[in-house]
Amino acid sequence: MTEQQQTPEADIIGSVGDGVISVDDKQRIVGFNAAAEQLFGYCAEEILGRALSVLLPPWAREDHEHIHVPRFEREQTREREMGPRSGLRGYRKDGTEFPAEVTISHTRSTSTAVLTAVVRDITDRQAASIELEGRNHFVNAVLETVGALVVVLDARGRIELFNRACETLTGRRSSEVIGTPVWMLVPPDERSRLRAAFEPLDRVVARQRNHFSTIDGTPRLIEWTNTTLRSPEGCIEHIIATGIDIT
């Protein structure tokens, strides 16, 4: 793998699942483990001694060589992690790119290596994140367009979601009530009873009726259906309340 091939450290690096690449003070590759070979499509023999920039897309090489690496070499930090938000991409031997998560650290040894990068292909993770984001957009769109009132609360009774139907009924914007205890939106004479239900929250009634106050103080009688979302340990984490104005 490198000039340290026979050391116990090299054996460990060679067996890890993430790509591990070491470079010298000229940004030449001096270490390339088996996972890096699989990730980039190069065997160690053909990549050792070449510039690290060959593993980056052509459009990213100049900034990497002249800005990012020199800046990190000057910093006092031992390690830096560059995640999905950095837009970092790897460049394989066949010319394909992949989104990467990279942790760069200063190498403390007597070898020629000065920096070590641990590289992980996050294609699957990024795809799952995009899919989840799409689902969330879909769910939010549905919640915003349904005619029923929908309120999502955390275990402390604070509002996390307040859909458009709620805004229309109460005259309050969602941005104004997010984080507000739900009992602040009911008439004063009902607040203590509703607040007590969350101190502590050990169970939630499936159906209930209470008033919602509009922004001008007008009470509207709402019939709520409540659903709980629980943690793996069985603790209530969220309450989804859907309501109908039966005033």
Side-chain angles (χ1 to χ4, degrees):
M1 175 185 139
T2 70
E3 73 274 2
Q4 298 177 339
Q5 189 171 1
Q6 303 304 317
T7 67
E9 292 85 354
D11 290 339
I12 294 172
I13 290 173
S15 64
V16 299
D18 294 330
V20 180
I21 304 163
S22 298
V23 300
D24 63 14
D25 57 358
K26 303 297 185 183
Q27 297 185 36
R28 293 173 302 199
I29 299 169
V30 295
F32 205 73
N33 75 341
E37 291 181 321
Q38 293 182 353
L39 185 58
F40 288 95
Y42 291 95
C43 63
E45 288 75 12
E46 64 181 317
I47 198 70
L48 293 179
R50 298 181 65 179
L52 176 63
S53 59
V54 74
L55 302 180
L56 296 171
W59 53 266
R61 291 173 184 173
E62 185 173 353
D63 283 352
H64 176 79
E65 290 179 0
H66 301 296
I67 299 175
H68 301 309
V69 171
R71 179 189 301 162
F72 180 68
E73 289 176 339
R74 293 192 302 267
E75 291 176 350
Q76 299 299 314
T77 54
R78 176 83 170 87
E79 184 176 276
R80 176 194 287 178
E81 183 173 315
M82 293 180 287
R85 293 183 180 180
S86 69
L88 189 66
R89 301 183 71 81
Y91 191 70
R92 297 189 178 94
K93 182 179 179 180
D94 64 8
T96 58
E97 299 180 17
F98 63 92
E101 183 177 78
V102 180
T103 300
I104 301 177
S105 59
H106 290 283
T107 301
R108 307 296 187 189
S109 73
T110 58
S111 73
T112 58
V114 295
L115 295 177
T116 296
V118 178
V119 185
R120 179 173 297 171
D121 182 351
I122 58 171
T123 300
D124 292 342
R125 188 201 310 172
Q126 195 171 79
S129 177
I130 292 172
E131 181 180 359
L132 179 60
E133 185 177 352
R135 289 180 181 178
N136 287 340
H137 283 315
F138 173 76
V139 171
N140 287 334
V142 171
L143 294 178
E144 290 298 330
T145 56
V146 296
L149 308 172
V150 180
V151 181
V152 177
L153 309 174
D154 66 15
R156 298 180 300 166
R158 299 185 184 276
I159 298 170
E160 294 190 341
L161 183 143
F162 195 77
N163 78 337
R164 191 168 301 162
C166 291
E167 292 181 322
T168 301
L169 177 72
T170 65
R172 295 182 172 90
R173 293 180 180 274
S174 173
S175 58
E176 297 171 353
V177 300
I178 296 298
T180 301
V182 67
W183 51 83
M184 298 305 297
L185 301 187
V186 305
D189 61 339
E190 297 183 26
R191 289 177 186 171
S192 59
R193 178 171 59 86
L194 184 57
R195 181 174 184 172
F198 291 90
E199 298 177 348
L201 180 65
D202 52 7
R203 68 184 186 88
V204 174
V205 295
R207 287 181 176 272
Q208 69 183 81
R209 291 181 180 183
N210 63 262
H211 291 91
F212 238 18
S213 294
T214 64
I215 197 167
D216 64 6
T218 303
R220 307 291 301 185
L221 183 60
I222 312 298
E223 183 171 77
W224 297 100
T225 299
N226 302 315
T227 302
T228 58
L229 298 180
R230 296 177 179 268
S231 68
E233 295 74 29
C235 300
I236 297 174
E237 293 187 332
H238 297 90
I239 301 168
I240 303 173
T242 56
I244 301 174
D245 183 359
I246 59 173
T247 307

